[in-house]
């Protein structure tokens, strides 16, 4: 009898352990499923936010510019999990904003500015509207790509990110699209400018395609990914080592991070270039940009730069709306104008303010 009781207890304990293990597995599955649902909801929310912001572009610029959003293509994905799948190697489709002065004369020629947005998984938002207005006032045509990995286009596009890689080619594709489709653009007067990660894309574009750009401006540019991985948080580093991205951390594949770093490609510079950095930058430590500057000097390259000392605004010191930022942007525009010859170059900061923020009616 005692033996039978022991056997029964053993079976009950075994079933209980099995039930607990099953319950644990079920709970883990539920948590995993919920995490995926939350991620999907976040992407849905980002798409709604993007749609609202797109409307804001028209509200802020319709009085001075034609605003369009086009869909174009770049290279196939950097990471293809199923290379033999249907359409696996198709070019990546992405959106780009096009801004054209509303009083354009199609019988004249106009300069083009390519403006890649900054941020890891960010996008081109209407926070740039004041800068676009300033460029439009000078009669520049502007194209701004939401290259692969940008937020607001769903999880699949988000996971196409290739930081410092094929996103650079997407931006180049936006430049080519404009030249091929708008006859009033002067292919010899094409410039590129960007801030932060957009500054990095600017640098890599002129390094890889020097013949396609007459001039460039890189503001607070991400310049050295190897150094950046050292002073950023683990969660930041994880974004790069994700399986759909670089796939390895810097210590596992330092050569890949070096290849994507402008400071380690300084020998490629051929294009007139202006660089700005700020010593109190809370995002891109000025040590990165200083490394870039020293590398360019070591290669004997001709370029212009300015290291600002603790200017208010930190990372966005020359993108905000205060007077000091406008003075700095005037310097940037003056540098670009020397090569792009816009039809209505600003004479001074006062004209920048008057033309961009208080345009004449009619």
């Amino acid at each position: 009898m005692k033996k039978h009781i022991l056997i029964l207890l053993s079976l009950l304990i075994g079933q209980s352990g099995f039930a607990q293990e099953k319950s644990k597995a079920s709970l883990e599955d539920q948590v995993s499923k919920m995490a995926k649902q939350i991620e999907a909801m976040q992407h849905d929310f980002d798409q709604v936010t993007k749609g609202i912001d797109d409307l804001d572009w028209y509200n802020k610029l319709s009085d001075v510019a034609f605003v369009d959003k086009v869909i174009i293509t770049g290279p196939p994905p950097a990471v293809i999990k199923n290379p033999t799948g249907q359409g696996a190697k198709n070019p990546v489709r992405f959106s780009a904003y096009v801004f054209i002065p509303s009083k354009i004369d199609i019988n004249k020629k106009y300069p083009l500015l390519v403006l890649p947005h900054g941020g890891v998984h960010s996008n081109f938002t209407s926070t740039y509207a004041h800068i676009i207005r300033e460029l439009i006032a000078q009669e520049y045509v502007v194209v701004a790509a939401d290259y692969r990995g940008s937020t607001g286009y769903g999880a699949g596009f988000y996971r196409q990110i290739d930081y410092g890689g094929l996103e650079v080619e997407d931006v180049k594709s936006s430049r080519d699209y404009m030249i091929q489709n708008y006859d009033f653009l002067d292919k010899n007067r094409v410039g590129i400018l960007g801030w932060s990660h957009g500054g990095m894309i600017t640098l890599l574009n002129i390094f890889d395609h020097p013949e396609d750009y007459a001039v460039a401006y890189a503001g607070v540019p991400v310049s050295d990914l190897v150094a950046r991985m050292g002073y950023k948080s683990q969660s930041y580093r994880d974004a790069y080592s994700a399986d759909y991205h670089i796939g390895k951390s810097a210590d596992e594949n330092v050569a890949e991070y070096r290849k994507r770093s402008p400071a380690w490609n300084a020998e490629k510079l051929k294009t007139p270039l202006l660089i700005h950095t700020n010593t109190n930058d809370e995002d891109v430590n000025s040590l990165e940009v200083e490394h870039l500057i020293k590398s360019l000097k070591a290669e004997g390259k001709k370029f212009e730069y300015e290291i600002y000392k603790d200017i208010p605004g930190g990372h966005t010191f020359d993108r905000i709306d205060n007077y000091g930022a406008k003075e700095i942007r005037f310097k940037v525009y003056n540098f670009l104008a020397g090569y792009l010859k816009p039809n209505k170059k600003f004479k001074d900061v006062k004209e920048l303010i008057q033309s961009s923020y208080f345009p004449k009616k009619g």
Side-chain angles (χ1 to χ4, degrees), residues 178-213:
M178 296 299 292
I179 296 301
Q180 293 164 0
N181 286 273
Y182 298 91
D183 292 338
F184 50 78
L185 292 177
D186 186 345
K187 67 179 181 179
N188 296 314
R189 288 192 291 159
V190 179
I192 182 169
L193 76 160
W195 286 266
S196 193
H197 176 43
M200 173 183 169
I201 291 179
T202 292
L203 292 166
L204 294 177
N205 254 274
I206 62 172
F207 289 172
D208 293 344
H209 308 286
E211 69 284 356
D212 291 310
Y213 298 99

Side-chain angles (χ1 to χ4, degrees), residues 192-242:
I192 182 169
L193 76 160
W195 286 266
S196 193
H197 176 43
M200 173 183 169
I201 291 179
T202 292
L203 292 166
L204 294 177
N205 254 274
I206 62 172
F207 289 172
D208 293 344
H209 308 286
E211 69 284 356
D212 291 310
Y213 298 99
V215 64
Y217 167 71
V220 292
V222 173
S223 303
D224 186 349
L225 283 182
V226 178
R228 193 168 180 79
M229 293 303 113
Y231 70 79
K232 286 298 185 181
S233 66
Q234 186 58 47
S235 60
Y236 185 91
R237 291 190 284 268
D238 289 343
Y240 293 81
S241 57

Side-chain angles (χ1 to χ4, degrees), residues 42 60-61 66 94 117 122 138 186 193 208 214 250 267 283 300 314 324:
Q42 181 61 57
K60 292 180 176 179
L61 290 170
F66 295 109
F94 64 92
H117 69 75
S122 187
Q138 299 171 77
D186 186 345
L193 76 160
D208 293 344
E267 74 281 357
D283 186 331

